[in-house]
Amino acid sequence: MATSRAPGRVLAYVESRKNLTGSACGIAGLALTFTGLAGAYWPVVIVGLYGAGALIAPPERPPAPAFPDPTSQLETVRADFATLREYLAEVELPPAASGRLVELTGLLEGLLAPGWVSEALATDPEAIHALSRAVHQDIPESVDTYLRTRWWTRLTPGTEPPERPLEQQLSLLHREAEALAAGLREAEARRQQTHTRYLEDRGRSD
């Protein structure tokens, strides 16, 4: 195992910055030797310059991991939201909860729509995370829990109807989505104000 790795390590060092920089300094030492400036100690000069070059070379660093950029993450959430909509279309919910779900999915659809809104979202990783959590976890969990609890409620009459917790959960999720939309609106408003101040300052300097 160690023997098989040795050639790779040797090749990696040959191509490393330390070796390249040291070699360049060593070549400079050879030039000094040919011009007679190194004298009788030319081997020491060449080795010393090589070592000095290897020491001053910037250290090697592994390449940073390439994670998906926010735009590609948003495209994934958008595709998964379409899958979620297909699932919700097959679910039977009580009228009140169904209405709140329609309001929630409509707001999410507007936030995920391609265009300048998506461009604004792409600059806010926290917003993308919140949308991803709503699509992948919160909404499916709320609806699925309701469906399972409704079945058990039919076997044990007299318990709290599962419609109320579902309506509360959907209301909370809608409130979060509204806060997200409001945050994006405020960011655009600040951008507008910044541009106004820039134009005012430029007018004063002209």
Side-chain angles (χ1 to χ4, degrees):
M1 182 69 68
T3 304
S4 62
R5 293 179 180 176
R9 292 178 179 176
V10 172
L11 180 60
Y13 179 77
V14 170
E15 297 176 347
S16 68
R17 297 175 182 173
K18 288 184 177 296
N19 181 58
L20 294 177
T21 306
S23 298
C25 293
I27 292 174
L30 285 174
L32 294 176
T33 299
F34 292 144
T35 58
L37 296 177
Y41 299 100
W42 64 268
V44 177
V45 172
I46 293 176
V47 173
L49 288 175
Y50 176 87
L55 288 175
I56 65 174
E60 298 290 333
R61 60 180 181 83
F67 295 114
D69 58 23
T71 302
S72 61
Q73 294 178 6
L74 197 57
E75 291 175 355
T76 300
V77 176
R78 188 180 296 120
D80 293 341
F81 179 66
T83 303
L84 176 63
R85 294 291 294 267
E86 294 176 0
Y87 160 72
L88 296 176
E90 300 177 359
V91 174
E92 181 181 352
L93 299 179
S98 179
R100 295 190 179 182
L101 182 61
V102 168
E103 294 176 353
L104 173 60
T105 54
L107 181 53
L108 293 179
E109 183 177 10
L111 290 170
L112 290 171
W116 66 269
V117 177
S118 296
E119 294 174 359
L121 277 172
T123 63
D124 191 343
E126 292 297 328
I128 296 177
H129 173 71
L131 287 175
S132 176
R133 182 178 57 194
V135 171
H136 295 147
Q137 177 181 341
D138 295 335
I139 297 177
E141 178 68 16
S142 295
V143 174
D144 186 63
T145 302
Y146 162 76
L147 295 176
R148 288 185 282 112
T149 306
R150 182 180 63 178
W151 186 85
W152 286 107
T153 302
R154 292 174 179 173
L155 298 181
T156 55
T159 56
E160 180 185 14
E163 290 83 358
R164 295 177 184 174
L166 175 62
E167 293 173 13
Q168 182 181 10
Q169 292 168 11
L170 294 177
S171 297
L172 292 172
L173 291 173
H174 188 270
R175 192 179 306 166
E176 289 184 0
E178 284 184 326
L180 175 59
L184 294 173
R185 181 192 62 78
E186 291 175 1
E188 292 297 333
R190 288 193 298 269
R191 179 183 176 187
Q192 186 181 40
Q193 293 171 359
T194 300
H195 188 58
T196 300
R197 287 194 295 268
Y198 162 73
L199 293 176
E200 291 174 345
D201 294 339
R202 190 177 68 181
R204 296 190 189 99
S205 61
D206 290 345

